[in-house]
């Protein structure tokens, strides 16, 4: 009939739910991956305001296989899930739902995606000092994942929102085996903490388009041998990453977290190894256009 | 990226809901039509047991545009709709839902699909005697549509289920301007009613695969000038249609109702004129395979 993928009555449906969703790249990424492996899946997007009703529907509509969950539903989704892994429960938010035999399982793929990006770039986390800048949702997800799975000897968090920072540090200490240090972000704390860090993970919006000339850390604070991971992915090469490169650091662009959190989702939904390069290409082509 | 239709975050989603749905042809028909017109729509299938929850989800999941409703939900769906046209309300079941600005509108496309098939085959209904064999769901849908829209001078129904037949005849008389006659199906009533009919519409399962040699009407009861429409679509050429052809009748195969009810749905969901030949080709290729 046509050359395109054939969607039929057995097609498994995945989707992103959030509000807004109309600019989401997830459909393009996952559909390209489904096609690359010739899987009978399709991925769409649904704007959702009434999360309870959406989740009722997700349960009742048989061929739904999985959801990506985005703003503003990442925390609220937790109450509609039947099973949540321990790290995700500690993070307190989920971005991935899988329906298996009618059971809704939730997880956060952001932390595993970030950890996979580090590993793929040859950055060993175990035994090395990690510094996280920021204490918001992404920082929480990455910190709990590192503290639970990657076991750096200690994790330092610098944050600008005192309550949020304090809560994150407290909960990491309480719920993970990690040795955790937290401090309010300022010039002095930054200098001291960057100096002793092996891996620096930037989880704030600083440097994001359109304010692309901003950075929290400049070259003179950095040294060769450090790894700098900026989760900002637009622009691909942030000022932080450029400063880090010129200081001789290993750098990991935010697009890798973006791609790898999708890889983690894809593998949960399909049980297949994700075609990472296909997915990365979709993301890079899309960002190339902006 | 690939040659196939690109599904993105703005893609409108339509689907068939029912139980079972895994053999539904509707995804193939509608997706082929969406592609032919390059519309950003996709059509999937969802097995549904809990209809109330599924409809909550349909309301809450923003990019859902429409549902086809099949067995066992065609009657139960009525209570979840915000607006139902009068003919469909009289029929008492719907197979099509459109979401417009959050309002769920329901209709039955079976009657309009059948009427469109007749019209496309050059069969004028107004002013001509119609005989309907059967009093089940399809017969109800077609009878109410003809009685309301096509205005034959009278409609005769022959049925084998007394209560169902009586109810249909009573309701047609009560709720439409049509002059309606009903009789229990037997050799004598059949001969008499076929004799005076201009258009004969067969709405029972007789002759359906695998009992393809069965027919309620044989050649000697028919005469040239009559039109015979068999809604059985498997096999494409039923014994009834073969008898009718050899008697010199005009014949309309059931596949035309199947295609045209989908055409009616497609046009409601998209606001575009359906690519009928593309849709018919999908159906015929599929039936050719069975």
């Amino acid at each position: 009939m046509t050359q395109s993928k054939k969607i039929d009555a057995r097609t498994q449906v995945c989707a992103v739910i959030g509000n807004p969703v109309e600019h989401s790249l997830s459909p393009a990424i996952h559909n390209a991956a489904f096609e690359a492996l010739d899987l009978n899946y399709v991925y769409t997007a649904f704007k959702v305001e009434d999360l309870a009703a959406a989740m009722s529907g997700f349960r009742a509509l048989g061929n739904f296989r999985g959801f990506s969950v985005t703003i503003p539903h990442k925390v609220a989704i937790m109450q509609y899930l039947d099973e949540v892994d321990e790290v995700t429960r500690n993070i307190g938010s989920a971005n991935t739902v899988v329906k298996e035999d009618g059971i809704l399982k939730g997880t956060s793929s952001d932390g595993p995606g970030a950890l996979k990006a580090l590993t793929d770039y040859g950055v060993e986390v175990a035994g090395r000092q990690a510094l996280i800048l920021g204490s918001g949702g992404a920082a929480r997800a990455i910190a709990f994942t590192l503290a639970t799975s990657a076991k750096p000897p200690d994790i330092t968090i610098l944050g600008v929102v005192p309550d949020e920072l304090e809560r994150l540090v407290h909960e990491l200490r309480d719920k993970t085996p990690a040795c955790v240090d937290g401090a309010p972000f300022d010039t002095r704390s930054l200098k001291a903490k960057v100096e002793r860090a092996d891996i620096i993970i930037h989880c704030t919006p600083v440097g994001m388009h359109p304010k692309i000339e901003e950075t929290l850390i400049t070259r003179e604070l950095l040294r060769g041998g450090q790894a700098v991971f900026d989760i900002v992915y637009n622009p691909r090469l942030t000022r932080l990453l450029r400063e880090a490169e010129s200081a001789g650091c290993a750098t990991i662009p935010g697009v890798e977290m973006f791609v790898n959190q999708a890889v983690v989702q894809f593998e949960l939904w399909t049980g297949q190894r994700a075609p990472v390069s296909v997915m990365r290409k979709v993301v890079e082509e899309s960002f190339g256009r902006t």
Side-chain angles (χ1 to χ4, degrees), chain A:
Chain A
M1 295 185 281
T2 73
Q3 291 191 293
S4 73
K5 184 172 74 175
K6 187 146 169 284
I7 294 166
D8 62 23
R10 295 169 197 271
T11 301
Q12 302 278 295
V13 183
C14 297
V16 55
I17 58 171
N19 186 9
V21 290
E22 66 264 32
H23 298 289
S24 172
L25 256 188
S26 296
I29 299 170
H30 287 290
N31 285 319
F34 294 147
E35 285 192 37
L37 300 192
D38 198 22
L39 300 177
N40 194 359
Y41 281 68
V42 68
Y43 189 105
T44 69
F46 292 105
K47 176 179 162 180
V48 165
E49 290 172 359
D50 181 348
L51 185 61
M55 295 310 289
S56 292
F58 182 49
R59 285 181 191 275
L61 293 160
N63 291 29
F64 267 132
R65 168 64 172 160
F67 273 177
S68 304
V69 184
T70 190
I71 292 165
H73 301 310
K74 287 185 174 201
V75 172
I77 192 76
M78 299 292 279
Q79 67 192 290
Y80 302 105
L81 303 172
D82 302 313
E83 288 182 27
V84 177
D85 58 275
E86 192 188 340
V87 176
T88 302
R89 199 161 52 241
N90 289 337
I91 294 167
S93 68
N95 72 338
T96 310
V97 187
V98 191
K99 184 164 63 174
E100 275 180 12
D101 300 325
I103 302 296
L104 303 194
K105 302 182 178 180
T107 195
S108 170
S109 73
D110 286 333
L115 182 55
K116 189 168 177 314
L118 286 165
T119 308
D120 288 352
Y121 270 66
V123 178
E124 182 68 42
V125 182
R128 303 182 74 206
Q129 312 285 339
L131 170 63
I132 293 175
L133 299 171
S135 56
R140 273 187 80 82
I142 293 173
F144 271 103
T145 300
L146 293 189
T148 313
S149 314
K151 300 196 171 45
D154 61 61
I155 299 175
T156 302
I157 321 262
L158 292 183
V160 295
V161 184
D163 290 355
E164 187 182 81
L165 173 65
E166 197 175 320
R167 182 177 155 234
L168 175 55
V169 170
H170 175 77
E171 291 181 1
L172 282 166
R173 285 177 180 155
D174 195 38
K175 297 173 176 171
T176 76
C179 180
V180 180
D181 178 28
F185 177 92
D186 60 33
T187 316
R188 222 173 64 177
S189 67
L190 182 71
K191 187 170 188 303
K193 301 304 184 187
V194 166
E195 202 160 73
R196 62 184 294 275
D198 298 311
I199 302 162
I200 298 158
I201 307 175
H202 173 246
C203 303
T204 88
V206 172
M208 190 183 288
H209 182 84
K211 299 184 175 178
I212 62 171
E213 279 310 314
E214 296 185 357
T215 181
L216 294 179
I217 311 177
T218 45
R219 177 183 176 171
E220 67 276 10
L221 294 180
L222 298 163
R223 58 182 158 76
Q226 291 177 312
V228 177
F229 184 8
D230 191 349
I231 73 160
V232 170
Y233 55 76
N234 184 9
R236 189 184 201 287
L237 199 58
T238 59
R239 177 156 173 215
L240 169 58
L241 291 178
R242 283 183 280 129
E243 299 274 341
E245 266 180 11
S246 74
C249 302
T251 58
I252 303 104
V255 70
E256 290 300 319
M257 171 158 154
F258 191 88
V259 170
N260 280 297
Q261 63 80 25
V263 163
V264 171
Q265 296 184 319
F266 182 94
E267 295 183 348
L268 284 170
W269 295 327
T270 66
Q272 305 281 319
R273 180 165 284 233
V276 185
S277 60
V278 170
M279 298 168 82
R280 181 180 293 113
K281 188 159 170 261
V282 173
V283 176
E284 294 194 335
E285 282 179 354
S286 164
F287 290 153
R289 285 200 300 270
T290 60

